[in-house]
Amino acid sequence: MSQAATNSVLSEGDPAPSFDLPGAGGERVALASFAGKRLVLYFYPKDDTSGCTKEAIEFNALAKDFAKAGAAVVGVSPDSPAKHDKFRAKYELTFPLASDETKEMLSAYGVWVEKSMYGRKYMGVERSTFLIGPDGRIAKIWRKVKVPGHAAATLAAAKAI
């Protein structure tokens, strides 16, 4: 069975899979740290690529609004903590970036999938966002995210729960 076929298929209302990952700046990023709060968990393929940079900048621009709404933002990719450090510094990102080099957490959330480009198949991150409510359950899921306006839509959803 392919790795993509073994991925979890999560639905809104499901408990969010637990995680504890290394992050930029030597910090640990764990689901338990956000208990009782809203959490925007966004998954992206790679630091410092055009779409991922635009997405990070959009979330960063709304950081104060997310904080006012009682929501934390965490970006997750398979890049190393060292790459995250450079990415955060380069774009002055203020929210945590978690590193899942093992892809265990990416698989648990069902975002480590088989992709295809120019007829070549490979495994990669499906750009996705999960809004986790204060109860630890998934309140909203966005899959195959298109970057423009996504951070604002996520903020509106965070305010609504």
Side-chain angles (χ1 to χ4, degrees), residues 132-151:
I132 300 168
D135 61 357
R137 294 191 171 275
I138 298 168
K140 182 111 176 88
I141 300 172
W142 293 265
R143 296 200 182 271
K144 297 184 180 175
V145 166
K146 302 292 181 230
V147 172
H150 176 63

Side-chain angles (χ1 to χ4, degrees), residues 55-69 71 73 94-95 149-156 159:
E55 187 173 28
I57 289 170
E58 281 193 18
F59 274 114
N60 204 54
L62 296 173
K64 288 181 181 160
D65 297 309
F66 277 104
K68 277 186 212 163
V73 174
T94 58
F95 54 85
H150 176 63
T154 306
L155 176 60
K159 287 178 177 177

Side-chain angles (χ1 to χ4, degrees), residues 46-60:
K46 192 169 175 54
D47 288 340
D48 226 0
T49 55
S50 63
C52 298
T53 299
K54 287 176 188 160
E55 187 173 28
I57 289 170
E58 281 193 18
F59 274 114
N60 204 54

Side-chain angles (χ1 to χ4, degrees), residues 7 9 14 34 43 53-55 61 63 65-66 71 73 77 91 102 121 125 144 154 160:
N7 279 346
V9 178
D14 287 349
F34 301 98
F43 296 92
T53 299
K54 287 176 188 160
E55 187 173 28
D65 297 309
F66 277 104
V73 174
S77 86
Y91 296 101
T102 67
K121 293 191 182 309
V125 175
K144 297 184 180 175
T154 306

Side-chain angles (χ1 to χ4, degrees), residues 3-11 17 41 43 100 103-115 123-130 138 141-144:
Q3 190 170 359
T6 63
N7 279 346
S8 302
V9 178
L10 295 172
S11 300
L41 201 53
F43 296 92
D100 185 16
K103 286 107 178 154
E104 285 177 30
M105 188 251 202
L106 297 170
S107 294
Y109 278 82
V111 300
W112 185 248
V113 299
E114 187 173 82
K115 299 170 103 178
M123 295 302 291
V125 175
E126 177 183 78
R127 189 182 309 277
S128 306
T129 302
F130 290 72
I138 298 168
I141 300 172
W142 293 265
R143 296 200 182 271
K144 297 184 180 175

